[in-house]
Amino acid sequence: MNSNKIKKGLFDNNFALAIFSIIIAVAVWFTVSISQFPSKQITVDHIVLSTDLAGTIAEANGLSVINCDVEEVKVELLGKRTQVGNITSDNLVAYLDADNVTTSGTKKLSIKVKSSTGSTYEVKSIRPSTATVLLDKIETREFPVIPYLQNITYAEGMSLNYDEITCVPNKVKITGPSATLDTIDTCNAVLSKQRTLDQTLSIQNDELQLYTVDDALVDQSSLEFSSTSFNITIPVIRQKTVPLKVGISGTPNGFDQEKLLSRLKLSADSVVLASDNIQDEIPDELELGKIPLSDIDLNYTGTFQLSKVLPDELTNVSELENVIVSFDGSGLIKKTISIDPSKVEISNITDNSYTYSLVTQNLDVSVIGPEEIVNEITADDIKAEISFISASSVSANSTTEQYSANVNYTLNSAPSDAWLYSSGKVILQRVKNDEGTT
């Protein structure tokens, strides 16, 4: 019994002694190491390179790092064991030496390392030791946003009212390097997905694209936007291709208008019209106007404006404004006939206290039509008449007044495909009768 206790006591004492001996040995080794080898060189890698320029001259000049070709560095440090023994990449900071940088552009800057815990050491090497850095000023500018429809089509009988397409908001603020902002010419809110519309649509854009003046895409990786979401409204309208025509006025009974109309050639045969109201009727044809028969010469041309005859509720999708009408006089002849001024009838006289007469003595009218018909017509076949109420005053004194007027010529027996052409006005005069004369 006593023998076992003695053995157990000896074993406990020996174990404690062994532990104590190990502690003493480590302490001695540490002391010897410190005294014999006070410095230590270590290698630390994967130190993240900071591109923060806070507190540098570069920052004071409004510059920021736009791009840097180095992300991490590896360093070798020499220092007292007590200083460098616990250093890791987490308590080291690699940074750019930008204290002498005052202008933007691509620069080659030295890389430095400092401790975030206050440890002291000697930097033996930094790899890489420099970085190529793009520096620029960061600015914010406002740009108009333009809706851009890449793959939008419309259903049959429909069209898009491009003038009324809206984008909300219609401006965007972009923050980024001034050099990049300088390249932006247009900012497009793009609808890139395929869509076929049969009614007005309001939809968010699919993406935002920036283009240079040469239509090259601008890299957006260094840019920030006040918004990238825009609501685009696309009005869809009904449309129809409408034939164009002209009419003829002043034709006598029995005159073949269709034969004459077939000789009139239009520079545009049709126009595309549209309406954003499904209740509005789009006509099956559109008449540009009527041409007086007496205005049609063998070389006749006339210009008609669509805007003067187009109803307000319709949109001219073709953007066609002027239509030129010309006459094809092939196979026809023109003969000039002189009319005796004494045979001109003055009608619609308003005051019988005057005597009315023509000042103009040369009255010529042209007959146009097929040769066999025109050659048979003489002055006796033509009636000339002036309506006084349509005349306009030219001059007047106490007894005599002069007026400018048109002469209306008609054929007594009108053929179906010949007509009279006249141009210019005549001077009509009326003289006050002596008192007592009627």
Side-chain angles (χ1 to χ4, degrees):
M1 181 71 172
N2 290 333
S3 175
N4 290 336
K5 287 182 177 181
I6 291 171
K7 291 179 179 179
K8 185 176 183 304
L10 289 173
F11 177 80
D12 290 341
N13 289 336
N14 289 338
F15 180 75
L17 182 62
I19 295 299
F20 181 71
S21 297
I22 291 171
I23 293 173
I24 293 300
V26 170
V28 171
W29 173 83
F30 183 75
T31 301
V32 172
S33 296
I34 293 297
S35 61
Q36 295 295 320
F37 307 101
S39 297
K40 180 181 180 181
Q41 184 165 314
I42 63 172
T43 299
V44 184
D45 54 14
H46 301 302
I47 304 171
V48 177
L49 176 62
S50 171
T51 56
D52 185 4
L53 301 182
T56 66
I57 294 177
E59 184 206 30
N61 283 276
L63 299 174
S64 298
V65 174
I66 307 305
N67 186 42
C68 180
D69 67 346
V70 176
E71 295 182 357
E72 295 181 342
V73 300
K74 180 179 181 179
V75 299
E76 290 185 356
L77 307 177
L78 177 63
K80 293 182 178 180
R81 290 177 178 273
T82 55
Q83 293 292 318
V84 301
N86 295 321
I87 288 180
T88 68
S89 61
D90 292 333
N91 45 42
L92 288 176
V93 177
Y95 62 95
L96 297 165
D97 183 2
D99 279 336
N100 295 320
V101 178
T102 58
T103 59
S104 61
T106 301
K107 312 288 183 181
K108 191 172 184 178
L109 302 181
S110 297
I111 299 175
K112 294 185 176 181
V113 175
K114 62 183 178 180
S115 171
S116 61
T117 59
S119 299
T120 58
Y121 46 77
E122 177 187 353
V123 179
K124 301 297 290 184
S125 68
I126 302 175
R127 295 191 299 271
S129 60
T130 61
T132 300
V133 180
L134 175 61
L135 299 171
D136 201 356
K137 293 183 178 181
I138 301 299
E139 297 180 357
T140 298
R141 301 181 193 174
E142 190 172 68
F143 294 86
V145 179
I146 303 171
Y148 184 60
L149 315 182
Q150 280 188 334
N151 296 300
I152 299 295
T153 57
Y154 42 85
E156 184 177 357
M158 299 294 180
S159 179
L160 306 185
N161 190 351
Y162 290 95
D163 292 338
E164 298 298 327
I165 296 175
T166 60
C167 180
V168 178
N170 60 2
K171 294 181 180 179
V172 62
K173 291 182 178 179
I174 304 177
T175 301
S178 60
T180 302
L181 297 180
D182 288 341
T183 66
I184 300 175
D185 180 63
T186 56
C187 180
N188 294 339
V190 180
L191 291 177
S192 56
K193 296 179 182 177
Q194 181 70 43
R195 298 176 176 90
T196 300
L197 307 184
D198 59 3
Q199 60 182 353
T200 297
L201 175 70
S202 290
I203 192 171
Q204 295 295 315
N205 64 304
D206 298 318
E207 57 182 318
L208 190 66
Q209 293 180 345
L210 308 177
Y211 287 88
T212 67
V213 69
D214 297 321
D215 290 330
L217 275 172
V218 176
D219 182 9
Q220 302 182 22
S221 58
S222 61
L223 304 177
E224 295 180 357
F225 301 85
S226 59
S227 176
T228 57
S229 181
F230 302 87
N231 187 69
I232 300 175
T233 299
I234 310 170
V236 177
I237 55 181
R238 293 191 307 114
Q239 72 172 19
K240 182 194 291 186
T241 300
V242 178
L244 299 174
K245 69 173 187 176
V246 292
I248 300 174
S249 62
T251 58
N253 292 334
F255 187 83
D256 192 344
Q257 282 202 29
E258 292 304 317
K259 184 180 290 187
L260 186 59
L261 286 170
S262 68
R263 290 178 173 272
L264 292 172
K265 309 302 179 183
L266 279 63
S267 61
D269 295 327
S270 62
V271 62
V272 179
L273 302 180
S275 171
D276 55 6
N277 187 341
I278 61 173
Q279 303 300 324
D280 292 335
E281 287 294 331
I282 300 178
D284 294 328
E285 60 181 5
L286 184 65
E287 185 176 281
L288 299 171
K290 294 187 182 296
I291 306 171
L293 179 61
S294 60
D295 287 353
I296 300 177
D297 195 2
L298 288 179
N299 58 355
Y300 169 84
T301 60
T303 300
F304 293 82
Q305 295 178 313
L306 270 167
S307 57
K308 291 185 176 181
V309 297
L310 192 65
D312 292 339
E313 65 271 13
L314 298 182
T315 300
N316 181 353
V317 178
S318 300
E319 297 184 352
L320 174 68
E321 171 60 7
N322 294 321
V323 178
I324 298 174
V325 179
S326 57
F327 180 71
D328 178 10
S330 58
L332 303 178
I333 67 167
K334 180 171 73 171
K335 182 174 75 171
T336 300
I337 298 176
S338 295
I339 304 298
D340 184 351
S342 65
K343 293 186 177 181
V344 176
E345 179 184 345
I346 302 174
S347 61
N348 298 314
I349 293 174
T350 57
D351 191 341
N352 290 324
S353 65
Y354 288 85
T355 298
Y356 296 80
S357 63
L358 275 178
V359 175
T360 303
Q361 293 299 300
N362 295 321
L363 300 180
D364 290 333
V365 63
S366 297
V367 184
I368 300 174
E371 183 176 1
E372 64 274 13
I373 294 177
V374 170
N375 287 336
E376 296 295 324
I377 297 175
T378 67
D380 294 335
D381 298 314
I382 299 172
K383 178 184 177 181
E385 180 182 2
I386 296 175
S387 176
F388 180 76
I389 60 173
S390 63
S392 55
S393 177
V394 174
S395 64
N397 57 37
S398 59
T399 60
T400 304
E401 299 174 4
Q402 289 191 341
Y403 296 83
S404 174
N406 289 316
V407 181
N408 180 34
Y409 298 99
T410 57
L411 288 167
N412 295 327
S413 178
S416 63
D417 52 359
W419 67 95
L420 299 174
Y421 165 77
S422 62
S423 62
K425 295 179 179 291
V426 297
I427 298 300
L428 173 68
Q429 173 177 282
R430 71 175 186 177
V431 179
K432 188 71 171 178
N433 295 328
D434 293 335
E435 191 169 332
T437 303
T438 60

